[in-house]
Amino acid sequence: MSKQWATSKNGAFQRQVSSFRETISKQHPIYKPAKGRYWLYVSLACPWAHRTLITRDLKGLSSVIGCSVVHWHLDEKGWRFLDMEKLVEDKESFLEHWHDAAGGIETAREDASRSFAAIKNDSQRFMVDASNEPHYGYKRISDLYYKSEPQYSARFTVPILWDLETQTIVNNESSEIIRILNSSAFDEFVDDKHKKVDLVPEHLEAQIDDFNSWVYNNINNGVYKAGFAEKADVYESEVANVFEHLDKVEKILGDKYAALEDKYGKDDRQKALSEFFTVGEQLTEADIRLYTTIIRFDPVYVQHFKCNFTSIRAGYPFIHLWVRNLYWNYDAFRHTTDFDHIKLHYTRSHTRINPLGITPLGPKPDIRHL
Ligand SMILES: N[C@@H](CCC(=O)N[C@@H](CS)C(=O)NCC(=O)O)C(=O)O
């Protein structure tokens, strides 16, 4: 079996550097803003890709930039799309699942009660396990990398922001893709309400960058460093580091919430929640980037990556309140969160961690109500 992730000699996980780093703007010689010209390729399981989906939704770009979703199962050849030829051959199953396609990827599946037992790695359920690749009929994410750069030799990661005109990858670094989506580049294609949305307002930018930086190293990537460690001592120091930084977030959010209760009184929870964010008093990129790790924490990182000193729901009341507020009160967060893709991907793709591919059913529910 090929290596599922890269580690150094001392057993520590090493994330590769993204290699396509272009932007989209009116001034750019090639990549100009246009409706329908760009396409996002994502996995619903992947926390980095999830950032781009939330941002796309919050900025009202769902009908400006299209999107394809890969199958949750990552194998030795990378991510794959659903194979339309196979699907149409199997007409009965195609029709049976066609109704799921109607709402497409923007539809929330609030019923988390489906049994994983019925789901196989080779399942071909359109818009449930994945969508197809509609432009070239590609079967793999790797096909897009080779189309863009025939000599490409690194990993085939998602998300990808793709240009349909030049048929190349514009950018495959999520932190930059979300800045592109947040910029004013696409303003002329969205309504006034969405034009006003700014997830990195100037007066908060320095604070957001600072927050993102330590959250990335110690929490977003921290859980991977713990989970992919190949030596006990590396795991032990990484897992302690993750929880040390969750403690730090908990303190920030606890202090914030206390100040909001002082401002609005203890009884007006809705008012307090409407300003309950990590940086400043409005929803920002800092919330998006932390959310995609926290929402995966209890369902996956606690058991699969062994980040199990405690869980968010049991040990972090303010982070728990913050994540539930985002999930239940913001469609952009709930509609892009797919617990099936999340649980199935990690537990059935990382066969070195979970060789039998048995997916734990809990915690129940995936997320508690507010
Ligand atoms: N720096 C990248 C990281 C993306 C990344 O690591 N994606 C993972 C999924 S969570 C991936 O596609 N891995 C496939 C592989 O390594 O084969 C970003 O943030 O965009």
Side-chain angles (χ1 to χ4, degrees):
M1 190 199 319
S2 71
K3 197 106 158 86
Q4 293 181 329
W5 59 84
T7 46
S8 66
K9 272 202 194 104
N10 71 354
F13 168 60
Q14 288 178 320
R15 186 171 294 284
Q16 82 168 17
V17 177
S18 305
S19 47
F20 299 90
R21 313 295 286 265
E22 280 293 349
T23 191
I24 299 171
S25 76
K26 282 200 169 134
Q27 295 75 34
H28 196 284
I30 304 166
Y31 303 117
K32 311 261 186 219
K35 187 172 175 163
R37 173 170 171 177
Y38 300 97
W39 201 263
L40 265 178
Y41 293 97
V42 299
S43 152
L44 297 180
C46 167
W48 320 106
H50 194 178
R51 298 168 165 182
T52 67
L53 281 180
I54 296 170
T55 307
R56 169 177 173 262
D57 195 322
L58 288 169
K59 292 286 292 182
L61 292 170
S62 300
S63 57
V64 178
I65 299 174
C67 179
S68 293
V69 175
V70 295
H71 196 284
W72 45 263
H73 184 242
L74 177 72
D75 65 20
E76 67 283 354
K77 291 193 203 133
W79 298 106
R80 65 176 185 276
F81 299 102
L82 277 201
D83 185 340
M84 289 310 279
E85 280 164 36
K86 241 191 198 169
L87 261 180
V88 176
E89 228 173 71
D90 184 5
K91 248 195 187 129
E92 218 167 280
S93 123
F94 182 75
L95 290 175
E96 186 189 329
H97 296 293
W98 179 248
H99 67 276
D100 287 316
I105 52 155
E106 290 181 41
T107 307
R109 280 180 293 117
E110 315 251 349
D111 173 16
S113 64
R114 287 187 310 124
S115 163
F116 288 138
I119 301 173
K120 297 205 180 78
N121 280 352
D122 62 354
S123 55
Q124 282 285 334
R125 302 173 313 159
F126 188 52
M127 288 297 191
V128 175
D129 289 314
S131 59
N132 62 328
E133 195 297 292
H135 307 294
Y136 317 102
Y138 283 158
K139 296 194 167 63
R140 296 261 170 191
I141 278 285
S142 58
D143 296 330
L144 292 160
Y145 275 88
Y146 289 133
K147 172 101 180 153
S148 206
E149 193 180 306
Q151 309 305 324
Y152 186 79
S153 61
R155 300 194 74 87
F156 308 113
T157 58
V158 288
I160 289 176
L161 182 59
W162 179 264
D163 177 21
L164 290 164
E165 207 168 295
T166 59
Q167 307 195 336
T168 48
I169 298 174
V170 178
N171 200 304
N172 70 337
E173 169 49 48
S174 62
S175 58
E176 293 176 1
I177 297 175
I178 60 179
R179 290 277 164 119
I180 296 171
L181 302 185
N182 185 58
S183 73
S184 53
F186 295 98
D187 272 5
E188 64 187 282
F189 312 111
V190 302
D191 57 28
D192 288 343
K193 185 182 120 213
H194 288 103
K195 243 178 246 168
K196 285 199 199 105
V197 174
D198 185 0
L199 300 162
V200 191
E202 216 178 321
H203 70 288
L204 294 176
E205 191 170 349
Q207 264 177 276
I208 292 170
D209 286 343
D210 173 62
F211 186 86
N212 284 345
S213 157
W214 62 262
V215 164
Y216 172 78
N217 282 318
N218 303 293
I219 298 180
N220 301 140
N221 205 28
V223 293
Y224 280 86
K225 288 190 271 187
F228 284 163
E230 297 191 339
K231 296 227 165 95
D233 59 336
V234 176
Y235 156 71
E236 285 164 13
S237 68
E238 292 297 349
V239 73
N241 185 56
V242 167
F243 281 92
E244 210 176 282
H245 288 86
L246 286 176
D247 292 349
K248 184 169 167 180
V249 175
E250 179 71 3
K251 171 88 174 72
I252 292 171
L253 288 174
D255 289 349
K256 279 223 148 149
Y257 201 72
L260 288 167
E261 279 189 334
D262 282 349
K263 186 170 167 190
Y264 294 118
K266 285 201 192 315
D267 294 335
D268 202 344
R269 194 159 87 138
Q270 257 338 96
K271 265 260 166 60
L273 287 179
S274 71
E275 291 178 18
F276 188 41
F277 302 106
T278 50
V279 175
E281 284 158 1
Q282 65 184 91
L283 179 63
T284 69
E285 185 191 86
D287 297 295
I288 298 170
R289 291 178 43 141
L290 179 62
Y291 172 88
T292 66
T293 297
I294 300 300
I295 199 70
R296 285 162 177 72
F297 206 89
D298 290 5
V300 173
Y301 300 148
V302 169
Q303 56 78 26
H304 186 71
F305 280 172
K306 307 183 194 77
C307 291
N308 61 353
F309 288 7
T310 183
S311 61
I312 299 297
R313 67 188 66 187
Y316 292 102
F318 292 105
I319 302 180
H320 192 209
L321 180 62
W322 165 88
V323 76
R324 285 176 297 150
N325 182 39
L326 293 179
Y327 182 89
W328 292 110
N329 283 330
Y330 294 84
D331 289 351
F333 287 82
R334 195 172 63 261
H335 291 176
T336 56
T337 300
D338 189 311
F339 289 108
D340 292 345
H341 276 244
I342 290 171
K343 290 189 187 184
L344 290 163
H345 161 67
Y346 286 92
T347 58
R348 300 195 189 192
S349 303
H350 301 152
T351 47
R352 297 183 62 198
I353 295 178
N354 188 24
L356 295 179
I358 294 171
T359 304
L361 289 181
K364 288 191 174 186
D366 293 317
I367 181 164
R368 290 194 183 143
H369 276 275
L370 255 175

